[in-house]
Amino acid sequence: MDDAPAKARREPAAPDSRPDPSAARAAGATVALDRYVIHPDRSLAAFEAPAAHGFAADDTKGARGSLIALVSPSRAPVRVDILPSLRSTDCPFLMRPYRWGVVDWPAAGQCRFAIIYGQPGEERLVPSLEGPYPALSESVLVERVIRPVLSALSDLAARGIPHRALRPDNLYVGFTENRQVVLGDAAIAPAGSTNPVMFETIENGMTHPMGRGPGTIGDDLYALGATLLCLAMGRYPAQGVEDRALLYTKIEKGSYAALAGSARLPSGLREAVRGLLADDPKQRWTLQDLALWLDGRRLSPLQPTIPKRAQRPYLCAGREHIACRPLALTMAEDWSAAAKALTEADLEGWVRKSVGDQVRANAVTEAISWAARPSVAAGQSGESALLARMCTALDPAGPLRYKSLSAVVQGLGPLLFDLMRDPNGAQPFVQLIASELPAHWIGTRYGDGLEARALVGTVDRLRAYLKNHAPGFGIERCPSQLNPSLPCLSGLVESRYVMTPEDLLRELESMASSGRTDAFPVDRHVAAFVAARFGRGTDDHFALMGDRSDKAKAALGALRALAVLQWTVGGAQLPALTAWMGRLSGPIIDAYHSKALRERFREQLGSVARSGSLSELLNLVDDVQLRARDEQAYRDAVRQVAMIDAETDRLSGRSGHRKQQAEAIGSKLAAGLAMAIAAGAAGIVGMMTFL
């Protein structure tokens, strides 16, 4: 298993981009975001985040002081959907965003996403997870940490928003007199992606950090329990422990025992931490339970949820397993070893007889029967499909696993973005969506309620996109459709962080103005982005681009789609882009038969380009009625030429017949005349002889 904290804190490689002329701007220059300015030369180490850099910021109107800016160096999906709710909150224990959006970042020669926050405090409560820090007493934890965090989580719960980035180094010492903590940023990275495994439930810990999904407040309460444990101990108990080993220990002993170890916590605090770290979501403390505990009510002590143990171990990947869940974890980590184990040992018999879990045993039997179906063996990688079903049978509460993938369906969007950084990384995703595995996992995890049907609908749409190979669909459509805040992934605009159709048109206009017109302006990623963000009336146009060898259809499809886009979103005129599309419209014009029309179109291209209206250009080169008349005139001309040719051939045929007749008559006359002459000659000879 890969190191989850390393993955969570890994920043996607910054895309290669063309140098921006403004990169030479003098040091100390600011970056504007509406009324706010960011100071790239004034970094704030105290507010650095795993997925973003912190910088000083100011309000040009002077209405807000003590601001910071978090700037993401990658194009990973941002939780833009929760920012409006966070901005409207009055909770003093939550970082409040005032503005967010894309900014031009000259030093990198590209655009980046930034969030302007009110400064949450003077410093972090814990500078770093790695280093030791002073342990906090129970009373300090109650007043300075638990009460404000409970207030913050309650406010988020009322808005239907889990935080999903709760950990000691994301808590700030507030400006209040009693120095209560303020929860740090929750939006600059996908939910749960920046949390180490220690602060995630067992299920989330087994999941790729980018595929954990939005999660729940219950996940935040678990993270709070782990955070309190760290603060009470004055250290990070998982320091130096590999994620794989930590997960096995959590499963075998329970999270509290695995994380607390032999540490002696105050009895009152121990009760709260144990309740928050309960591995069974039904037993884990709720917000109400925590509030009751703060009010002095003591709840029934919880016993750790220990999985059923087998009478004899099951060997897989060189490791002996005495429970189903750790076996599923091992199988997911080593696909080939798992396949070998299935051929060498009777898994169904082990689960049924040794573990004594009839429900899981029946699920294993069903998985074997399902994988034996001809349609499964023929249509999928049968062995991989079987192993995926086995993982779900052994660990129904775990993530959806397939080959190298491990995610919940709700987290497939950020995970796919991460996978597509590798040119071949999305292949397992394509195979997974084409299979029946997601629907089976959804049914196992969520039953057949509204949430389950909605998730199945999402997977069905992804499958339809992947089956359609036309531009605007395929694998390129999936990340944009799954991640509403994801910028366009096209290499044409990779440095500009294009988030909306309006952004796309502006960037294409900028490219045309600067002469960057070597490439075709609409590639598969651009088409997929427009279809996902806009959609209306563009699919059929992009379909014309399927055969790029037909330059006329490709240019017409791109022009129609961009014209619809410009007409719908409105905004400024696009003279450079219109001129660019005009040059690409040559094959469209050449498709007209009339030479006069072609010459007229080329004469008018300049004035239409200056108008900046793609619709006018489209009306010029793709006038449906004019094209129909041109086609009709062409057909009429073809018929007239055919008639003339036929008449010429007929007349040519009649002239040849008369010549033959003349030659025949001449031959007969010549023959008769020759006979007459011969007879006359013979008579003359006879008379001369007589005389």
Side-chain angles (χ1 to χ4, degrees), residues 601-623:
F601 290 155
R602 291 191 172 91
E603 290 176 357
Q604 295 178 355
L605 279 178
S607 60
V608 172
R610 286 190 293 273
S611 74
S613 172
L614 293 169
S615 296
E616 288 191 25
L617 174 61
L618 180 63
N619 291 335
L620 173 66
V621 301
D622 189 37
D623 186 319

Side-chain angles (χ1 to χ4, degrees), residues 76-419:
V78 179
R79 298 177 71 189
V80 174
D81 58 313
I82 72 172
L83 286 170
S85 292
L86 291 177
R87 180 170 57 184
S88 65
T89 183
D90 292 325
C91 180
F93 308 116
L94 284 170
M95 281 180 67
R96 186 177 182 182
Y98 292 118
R99 189 68 177 90
W100 54 88
V102 179
V103 296
D104 184 16
W105 205 252
Q110 58 184 212
C111 289
R112 292 180 172 177
F113 194 89
I115 305 176
I116 305 293
Y117 279 110
Q119 186 172 328
E122 299 174 355
E123 59 185 0
R124 294 182 191 273
L125 181 64
V126 171
S128 171
L129 290 177
E130 283 71 25
Y133 36 84
L136 301 181
S137 66
E138 180 178 353
S139 61
V140 171
L141 286 173
V142 167
E143 296 303 323
R144 293 183 53 193
V145 178
I146 299 179
R147 289 191 186 279
V149 171
L150 175 60
S151 175
L153 293 182
S154 298
D155 187 275
L156 291 174
R159 300 167 187 273
I161 302 172
H163 189 274
R164 301 296 288 113
L166 203 167
R167 57 184 183 275
D169 62 342
N170 199 26
L171 296 175
Y172 293 89
V173 179
F175 292 113
T176 58
E177 183 178 349
N178 55 4
R179 297 169 64 81
Q180 289 179 299
V181 300
V182 176
L183 265 177
D185 166 74
I188 201 67
S193 64
T194 57
N195 270 0
V197 167
M198 175 178 172
F199 303 97
E200 291 292 319
T201 64
I202 293 175
E203 296 81 12
N204 288 336
M206 293 187 293
T207 305
H208 188 289
M210 295 290 278
R212 290 170 176 165
T216 66
I217 291 294
D219 297 322
D220 289 331
L221 289 167
Y222 182 98
L224 174 59
T227 297
L228 294 175
L229 186 62
C230 290
L231 298 176
M233 296 171 64
R235 61 184 177 85
Y236 179 49
Q239 183 72 33
V241 181
E242 293 184 356
D243 291 338
R244 182 175 184 269
L246 181 59
L247 281 171
Y248 280 117
T249 306
K250 279 187 175 185
I251 294 171
E252 293 171 0
K253 296 182 177 181
S255 288
Y256 178 81
L259 298 177
S262 59
R264 297 181 62 84
L265 300 180
S267 58
L269 186 64
R270 183 167 59 248
E271 179 188 7
V273 173
R274 189 187 295 276
L276 293 170
L277 288 177
D279 292 316
D280 185 347
K282 296 179 181 178
Q283 294 186 358
R284 187 176 305 142
W285 276 19
T286 64
L287 293 171
Q288 292 75 17
D289 292 332
L290 187 57
L292 289 173
W293 178 83
L294 285 174
D295 290 339
R297 179 175 175 180
R298 293 299 173 253
L299 305 178
S300 300
L302 296 177
Q303 298 300 320
T305 304
I306 304 299
K308 286 187 177 181
R309 296 179 179 272
Q311 297 175 0
R312 59 181 176 82
Y314 188 93
L315 185 64
C316 181
R319 182 186 181 100
E320 291 185 343
H321 300 82
I322 57 173
C324 292
R325 184 169 234 189
L327 174 58
L329 180 57
T330 297
M331 292 175 65
E333 290 173 341
D334 194 333
W335 224 238
S336 59
K340 181 180 179 182
L342 288 180
T343 61
E344 296 178 349
D346 178 12
L347 179 60
E348 187 270 341
W350 177 77
V351 176
R352 190 177 300 280
K353 298 177 182 179
S354 185
V355 178
D357 192 326
Q358 303 306 313
V359 175
R360 280 183 168 86
N362 292 338
V364 170
T365 302
E366 291 175 5
I368 295 173
S369 300
W370 174 83
R373 289 161 41 193
S375 60
V376 175
Q380 308 169 15
S381 175
E383 184 178 273
S384 297
L386 173 60
L387 290 171
R389 284 284 292 254
M390 284 298 186
C391 287
T392 301
L394 294 171
D395 184 14
L400 173 60
R401 301 164 169 120
Y402 181 77
K403 294 186 176 179
S404 60
L405 305 185
S406 179
V408 297
V409 171
Q410 302 92 321
L412 288 176
L415 177 62
L416 179 58
F417 163 80
D418 192 73
L419 294 174

Side-chain angles (χ1 to χ4, degrees), residues 591-594 598 626-642:
Y592 283 92
H593 303 288
S594 169
R598 295 196 298 270
L626 187 59
R627 187 179 292 279
R629 291 197 298 270
D630 175 74
E631 187 65 30
Q632 185 61 49
Y634 174 74
R635 288 196 295 267
D636 292 344
V638 168
R639 285 196 296 270
Q640 292 178 5
V641 169

Side-chain angles (χ1 to χ4, degrees), residues 462-470 474:
L462 293 177
R463 188 178 298 115
Y465 296 148
L466 292 173
K467 287 181 179 180
N468 191 336
H469 301 295

Side-chain angles (χ1 to χ4, degrees), residues 457-482:
T458 296
V459 175
D460 289 343
R461 285 189 293 274
L462 293 177
R463 188 178 298 115
Y465 296 148
L466 292 173
K467 287 181 179 180
N468 191 336
H469 301 295
F473 295 92
I475 186 62
E476 296 86 1
R477 175 71 173 269
C478 296
S480 292
Q481 196 71 43
L482 290 171

